[in-house]
Amino acid sequence: MPIFHKIHFCLSQLVRFLVYTFVLSLLSCQFTSKTKDTKQLFAESLSQHQSPQNKNNLDTILNTTTYLILGQKPDIVKVVKNTSISEYASFKVLAKYKDDVIVGRVADINNITIYRKFHPKTTFEDYHVEVYKGPLATPNFSTNPKAKQFITRIKEACAEGVNFAGHYTLVLWGCGTACQMGVVVNRKTGAISEFFDTLLGVEFKKDSNLIIKNSGAIDPATQLIELCNYCEVSQDIWTGTKFKAISE
């Protein structure tokens, strides 16, 4: 090989090596940057999921058997009955829940977070039932013709067997943001109940008649429910044909 060709060959190899090294260096920098971004996002995610007591570094303004209210000192917050609201004319109404009115003298209403404490009236064990072991009936859509709109979801759920109240299959599906619909199928007869709805999911067991509606509103770590218009949690009993709310 002539000397000119050797020089040309060596230079081309050197150029390839330099380009390859540069590309590797660039990719390494991008990977390091992405790693830092991921760590930063993870840290931000953790900070967004702090316990209620640390939310936005707020102080505990009121802590009763029923409510936990966070804000910034020297905010003043009270929970009064609706019948006595006239006695607090100098306070601003912050929220209402049933007969309770939360009033306060606060610097910034946006810094007030109100939680209710979840105190279950009863437990799943209080409504224990034996789980049916016999042959399972298929869903009978003649008992609820409108349920045919959801025939695939209902059949899929029933194929998984009994999951509720001893001999029923509870079927749930989404119907939009913060919206779920469902039916209960009797696995002895195939009868399909009327539709029921919930906003934030349900909790139930195969060996209990009890159901907790909107269970997704309950913080599992603290048993707190942030007060909002659609966060009402209820405990209902399945009677065999419909849900019946447990009395206060």
Side-chain angles (χ1 to χ4, degrees):
M1 178 182 296
I3 187 66
F4 175 78
H5 288 171
K6 288 183 179 181
I7 294 173
H8 178 74
F9 176 77
C10 291
L11 288 174
S12 64
Q13 292 296 103
L14 178 61
V15 170
R16 288 182 181 180
F17 175 77
L18 291 174
V19 170
Y20 179 73
T21 303
F22 174 76
V23 171
L24 283 180
S25 176
L26 182 62
L27 290 174
S28 175
C29 290
Q30 290 178 342
F31 178 78
T32 302
S33 176
K34 288 180 180 179
T35 301
K36 290 180 179 179
D37 291 343
T38 301
K39 291 180 179 178
Q40 183 178 356
L41 288 173
F42 181 69
E44 291 173 355
S45 177
L46 286 179
S47 67
Q48 292 172 358
H49 291 82
Q50 298 180 82
S51 63
Q53 288 76 8
N54 295 323
K55 186 175 181 179
N56 298 326
N57 296 317
L58 297 179
D59 302 311
T60 298
I61 303 301
L62 185 68
N63 190 0
T64 70
T65 56
T66 307
Y67 293 95
L68 172 66
I69 302 179
L70 307 182
Q72 292 182 334
K73 294 179 179 180
D75 288 348
I76 300 174
V77 175
K78 295 180 180 292
V79 179
V80 301
K81 292 300 178 183
N82 191 48
T83 54
S84 60
I85 187 64
S86 59
E87 301 174 18
Y88 297 87
S90 62
F91 285 72
K92 183 173 184 178
V93 174
L94 305 177
K96 295 182 179 181
Y97 178 73
K98 295 186 177 180
D99 292 334
D100 293 338
V101 182
I102 296 91
V103 298
R105 293 173 181 160
V106 301
D108 185 353
I109 192 172
N110 294 318
N111 284 332
I112 294 293
T113 304
I114 303 170
Y115 296 95
R116 288 189 302 109
K117 297 179 180 180
F118 181 55
H119 297 297
K121 305 180 188 74
T122 187
T123 66
F124 288 105
E125 289 73 19
D126 292 334
Y127 291 90
H128 174 80
V129 293
E130 296 297 324
V131 178
Y132 175 63
K133 302 294 184 181
L136 300 178
T138 57
N140 181 356
F141 289 91
S142 67
T143 60
N144 183 353
K146 293 182 180 179
K148 289 182 179 180
Q149 302 174 64
F150 310 98
I151 186 170
T152 300
R153 177 71 188 101
I154 292 172
K155 284 186 173 182
E156 287 176 349
C158 285
E160 298 177 3
V162 170
N163 66 4
F164 175 59
H167 64 275
Y168 296 89
T169 298
L170 189 148
V171 189
L172 200 67
W173 58 86
C175 52
T177 303
C179 175
Q180 298 89 41
M181 291 178 58
V183 294
V184 179
V185 182
N186 187 325
R187 302 312 304 277
K188 289 183 178 180
T189 67
I192 303 173
S193 74
E194 293 298 317
F195 295 112
F196 70 91
D197 59 77
T198 181
L199 300 175
L200 298 170
V202 295
E203 183 179 353
F204 57 93
K205 293 186 177 183
K206 70 188 319 182
D207 60 353
S208 178
N209 287 332
L210 176 68
I211 185 172
I212 303 175
K213 292 184 178 179
N214 287 339
S215 57
I218 307 168
D219 185 324
T222 62
Q223 294 295 286
L224 295 175
I225 304 167
E226 187 165 358
L227 200 66
C228 72
N229 294 330
Y230 56 88
C231 298
E232 176 66 21
V233 176
S234 67
Q235 290 182 293
D236 294 0
I237 301 302
W238 177 248
T239 65
T241 55
K242 63 182 180 179
F243 290 108
K244 181 180 179 181
I246 298 175
S247 300
E248 294 286 350

